[in-house]
Amino acid sequence: MDSILVTGNGALSGQIPIAGAKNACLTLMPATLLSEEPLTLTNAPRLSDIKTMTALLQSLGAEVSTLQDGQVIAMSSHDLTSHTADYEIVRKMRASNLVLGPLLARFGQAVVSLPGGCAIGARPMDLHTEGLEALGAEIELKDGYLHASAPRGLTGAVHEMRFASVGATENIVMAATLAKGTTVLKNAAREPEIVDLVECLRKMGAQISGEGTSTIEIQGVDRLHGATHQVVTDRIELGTYMLAPAICGGEVELLGGRLSLVGAFVEKLDAAGIDVEETAKGLKVRRRNGRVQAVDVTTEPFPGFPTDLQAQMMALLCTAEGTSVLEEKIFENRFMHAPELTRMGARIDVQGGTATVTGVGRLKGAPVMATDLRASVSLILAGLAAEGETVVSRVYHLDRGYEHVVQKLEGVGAKIERIKG
Ligand code: EPZ
């Protein structure tokens, strides 16, 4: 297993290009199942999760090819040979469950393995099944698989989700595009990746309104046609790299960044003493002066502070002046980066879903272990600012969500290299 060696090397400066959003691409790809005509995605990120979704769609019989070094994904699901998403694939990547809604809508049947738990939590699918059942699907759990059917097709309905789940919103909206009649989805998630999905579905002929708000209305149509769609910028990669000049000092411009993607996050950076300026090309980030200031953070569904930036923000706050309280309200076990940061001299007290961080002047490099995707990059950020060398092991977690990390950070003056293991 590869590892990454990072050596604290002072202030950063230069530009980092931000890729297309992993979490948009992972819901846009299954949308190909809704039409027998080709769907092409541009600005796609080059990530192992995208390779996993490609393998899943191909296992169903869809044609998926990547062009331009992986930045273009051309798909067609004219003839499928299977409607089963196998445990071997789903257990590796929960987002595989996003084939459930499209398969049900187009073929009236789907067999999708329950993802099983993952490092950050149990991650059940009850919100997905409740919504699809509201549209008339019959879903039964057998041998760890959801067996879903809608022999007479799906029928639009009014459904209010108990929690604004991102994936459940995506599955229900995709399914509703081909249902008979109108669906009104209440307490829908508002993430930019959902807005991007709806924009793509509309290009395919879907009739949808309200995306980005808590109520999405979908008029079912008989069929969807092909389209070409550009994947939205990845707001989590953007926020992650915004923290590099924040924790190291200096000034970095994040190409493709827009304030609209990271509103609540930027408010917290401002309170911590970090300046963010929107330019024609992206977002320019620099530390105002002196030490970063402690701030309290609570993760919430969009437009609140994103849970996917909590680990990275904790790394910054480990070096802040004062004490910060971080509350993780989305997942039940998303502080596994804390003990690893503690190995670097951080002072963090975790009690259930709350982590209290007392800032220290400077972290010290140490061998640490990545436990999940966002924890891995939190440790790299800490290593960029730490004294001495940090070796982050198990970087396969990193490859799931961050393309070309070493090159992007080297490009702004970081001392970082990948060690083949
Ligand atoms: C999406 O996961 C993202 N993944 C996650 O990003 C992100 O952390 C999460 O949304 C929250 O923003 C993709 O988009 C591929 P949820 P998802 O359904 O859809 C509970 C990353 O790092 N829940 O909004 O699975 C669930 O257990 C990943 O890129 C139910 O109880 O998130 C969790 O506690 C990590 N029942 C909470 O809701 C359900 O049926 C939020 O889950 C579904 C979810």
Side-chain angles (χ1 to χ4, degrees):
M1 280 185 264
D2 291 2
S3 52
I4 285 188
L5 169 62
V6 192
T7 307
N9 193 34
L12 304 176
S13 70
Q15 297 179 323
I16 297 179
I18 302 301
K22 166 179 86 79
N23 291 348
C25 205
L26 289 174
T27 187
L28 289 163
M29 291 176 75
T32 190
L33 301 171
L34 291 167
S35 168
E36 71 273 7
E37 295 181 18
L39 174 62
T40 299
L41 302 176
T42 62
N43 192 38
R46 282 70 60 89
L47 302 167
S48 59
D49 270 10
I50 304 305
K51 293 194 172 83
T52 303
M53 181 59 82
T54 297
L56 171 59
L57 292 174
Q58 288 172 338
S59 76
L60 300 175
E63 288 164 32
V64 184
S65 49
T66 54
L67 317 161
Q68 290 178 32
D69 185 27
Q71 284 201 299
V72 172
I73 304 176
M75 300 172 286
S76 166
S77 62
H78 191 272
D79 297 309
L80 288 196
T81 53
S82 161
H83 303 130
T84 297
D86 195 79
Y87 175 59
E88 278 316 302
I89 293 185
V90 179
R91 71 181 178 80
K92 275 198 297 189
M93 185 182 68
R94 173 185 171 80
S96 308
N97 64 18
L98 293 171
V99 301
L100 178 58
L103 284 173
L104 257 182
R106 173 128 172 261
F107 303 99
Q109 57 176 313
V111 177
V112 174
S113 168
L114 276 182
C118 76
I120 61 177
R123 309 192 74 185
M125 281 190 60
D126 52 336
L127 298 171
H128 296 244
T129 52
E130 285 165 16
L132 295 170
E133 284 166 342
L135 299 181
E138 289 159 19
I139 304 179
E140 188 195 350
L141 175 62
K142 225 161 48 187
D143 308 328
Y145 282 78
L146 292 175
H147 290 255
S149 64
R152 291 174 303 286
L154 297 172
T155 306
V158 177
H159 178 68
E160 178 157 3
M161 289 201 297
R162 288 181 287 115
F163 174 80
S165 155
V166 172
T169 300
E170 291 161 348
N171 252 330
I172 296 163
V173 166
M174 286 193 281
T177 59
L178 296 176
K180 295 181 198 69
T182 302
T183 296
V184 177
L185 182 60
K186 296 183 176 179
N187 197 24
R190 300 169 55 190
E191 273 69 5
E193 293 75 35
I194 288 166
V195 172
D196 202 43
L197 170 66
V198 170
E199 286 171 359
C200 178
L201 293 170
R202 202 173 280 134
K203 287 177 190 168
M204 296 169 74
Q207 292 178 26
I208 307 177
S209 59
E211 70 278 10
T213 76
S214 301
T215 303
I216 300 178
E217 185 164 318
I218 306 106
Q219 314 286 346
V221 295
D222 292 338
R223 57 188 294 282
L224 294 180
H225 49 74
T228 295
H229 180 75
Q230 178 178 310
V231 179
V232 69
T233 300
D234 191 323
R235 64 192 169 97
I236 304 303
E237 188 194 25
L238 170 62
T240 300
Y241 286 123
M242 289 170 74
L243 286 166
I247 201 167
C248 293
E251 178 180 279
V252 173
E253 184 172 29
L254 294 313
L255 303 179
R258 305 313 301 154
L259 282 175
S260 59
L261 291 170
V262 282
F265 176 65
V266 170
E267 280 170 27
K268 286 297 174 185
L269 286 187
D270 180 58
I274 308 300
D275 282 336
V276 179
E277 177 200 345
E278 191 166 72
T279 67
K281 288 192 284 186
L283 296 181
K284 239 182 213 169
V285 180
R286 71 179 77 80
R287 194 192 300 171
R288 207 164 291 152
N289 47 34
R291 272 183 76 182
V292 167
Q293 295 304 305
V295 292
D296 294 342
V297 171
T298 300
T299 63
E300 296 172 305
F302 195 88
F305 190 100
T307 175
D308 292 350
L309 286 173
Q310 177 259 110
Q312 300 91 313
M313 189 71 177
M314 186 184 284
L316 175 71
L317 297 175
C318 287
T319 65
E321 189 164 19
T323 298
S324 307
V325 176
L326 291 97
E327 280 195 285
E328 173 53 61
K329 294 275 195 189
I330 305 293
F331 289 104
E332 60 266 36
N333 182 31
R334 204 172 195 178
F335 285 138
M336 285 164 300
H337 40 286
E340 299 302 313
L341 290 166
T342 302
R343 289 177 48 75
M344 300 176 71
R347 290 175 55 198
I348 308 169
D349 176 32
V350 173
Q351 301 291 335
T354 301
T356 303
V357 178
T358 305
V360 295
R362 192 160 187 212
L363 296 174
K364 291 187 176 38
V368 290
M369 186 181 76
T371 49
D372 60 84
L373 166 55
R374 306 303 174 181
S376 59
V377 78
S378 159
L379 298 171
I380 288 183
L381 288 170
L384 287 176
E387 191 181 327
E389 293 187 348
T390 298
V391 179
V392 182
S393 61
R394 301 193 178 185
V395 290
Y396 57 84
H397 291 291
L398 199 66
D399 296 334
R400 294 191 53 184
Y402 291 90
E403 64 173 16
H404 307 149
V405 175
V406 171
Q407 295 90 315
K408 290 189 177 188
L409 287 171
E410 265 181 335
V412 292
K415 209 167 166 204
I416 181 170
E417 61 181 291
R418 188 172 184 124
I419 301 166
K420 286 285 170 214

